[in-house]
Amino acid sequence: MKILAVVLSSWLLVACGGGGSGGSSVTVSVDTGIFTVSGTVATGKAIAGATVSAKCAVGTGTATTNADGTYSLAVVGGKLPCLLQITNPADDSKLHTVATGNGISMTANITPLTEMLVARLLRTEPSLFFSAFDAVFATGTITSSAVFAAQTDVGTLLIGTVDTSTLGDFITTTLKAATSDNLAGGDAHDRVLDVLGGKISGSQLILLVSALARLPSLADVKQVLLTLGIH
């Protein structure tokens, strides 16, 4: 009985965070399942009033973009990775991005560049995958290394059209977008999107995204880009 009492007392001491000098508590890693995803939605100009929706390995979240294109959404009881979709209120067009990692606060910009990246990553058109979201497939596919490889493909494809090498990361690099009230207010990331928008129209982007999704060879995708008259 004395031994049992000692064991129970030791267990209670640890559970209550006692037993260390200075009254420090035992560090326990607890997955609360609550995280936030934030970023900027832009095409060279901020997209304001857009609905942002996230579907994650576990959990969902929604938000609306501010006048400067920024957003922040919370996923409660969730688990990464996530696929995010925005619907542009001006024309109902959609753009996508992904959020990966293991923290409680992730950055995920949503732009035409991330749209192309996601198409290459998933090897299917992003809007179709979002509609029929497969959490198991997403978990195995949306990894940091795969995202990096997809971005490399998109950057290589755009050589000679748009220089994306200064961005570092399409998804997480800081993005401050120009707005209707401040057309010159965009940062370097936003200026890359300006150049992209001047070279690739909305209809051409749709065709290019489809090619990135369905054609395994990057050379074949490049041929589609040239056929579209994009230089």
Side-chain angles (χ1 to χ4, degrees):
M1 290 298 292
K2 289 183 179 180
I3 294 174
L4 179 60
V6 170
V7 171
L8 289 174
S9 296
S10 298
W11 182 85
L12 288 171
L13 183 63
V14 171
C16 294
S21 60
S24 61
S25 61
V26 176
T27 301
V28 180
S29 176
V30 178
D31 182 6
T32 63
I34 302 174
F35 58 86
T36 61
V37 183
S38 59
T40 302
V41 181
T43 58
K45 185 178 177 182
I47 300 178
T51 299
V52 185
S53 302
K55 292 183 179 180
C56 307
V58 177
T60 61
T62 59
T64 302
T65 58
N66 300 309
D68 61 356
T70 59
Y71 76 93
S72 181
L73 62 81
V75 180
V76 180
K79 181 179 179 182
L80 292 162
C82 300
L83 176 64
L84 287 82
Q85 174 178 278
I86 70 103
T87 302
N88 189 332
D91 56 11
D92 286 332
S93 61
K94 293 175 172 54
L95 293 173
H96 301 80
T97 195
V98 293
T100 61
N102 55 12
I104 59 173
S105 180
M106 274 64 61
T107 299
N109 298 314
I110 309 176
T111 72
L113 285 174
T114 67
E115 176 76 357
M116 289 189 277
L117 184 158
V118 172
R120 195 61 176 171
L121 171 67
L122 298 177
R123 298 302 174 97
T124 187
E125 295 192 30
S127 58
L128 296 178
F129 187 86
F130 190 86
S131 295
F133 185 75
D134 184 331
V136 174
F137 180 84
T139 299
T141 303
I142 305 174
T143 64
S144 296
S145 59
V147 169
F148 177 80
Q151 175 171 310
T152 299
D153 275 2
V154 174
T156 301
L157 174 69
L158 294 176
I159 290 175
T161 302
V162 181
D163 181 9
T164 65
S165 62
T166 60
L167 295 184
D169 190 306
F170 296 171
I171 296 172
T172 63
T173 296
T174 299
L175 171 57
K176 180 182 179 182
T179 65
S180 298
D181 295 332
N182 187 5
L183 294 176
D187 62 9
H189 192 161
D190 193 55
R191 289 191 287 275
V192 171
L193 297 176
D194 283 332
V195 175
L196 181 69
K199 296 290 186 72
I200 302 175
S201 68
S203 59
Q204 289 173 324
L205 178 64
I206 291 171
L207 294 173
L208 199 54
V209 165
S210 178
L212 283 163
R214 62 186 174 82
L215 298 177
S217 169
L218 194 60
D220 290 340
V221 182
K222 184 70 171 183
Q223 189 57 51
V224 170
L225 183 145
L226 296 174
T227 300
L228 291 170
I230 299 170
H231 303 289

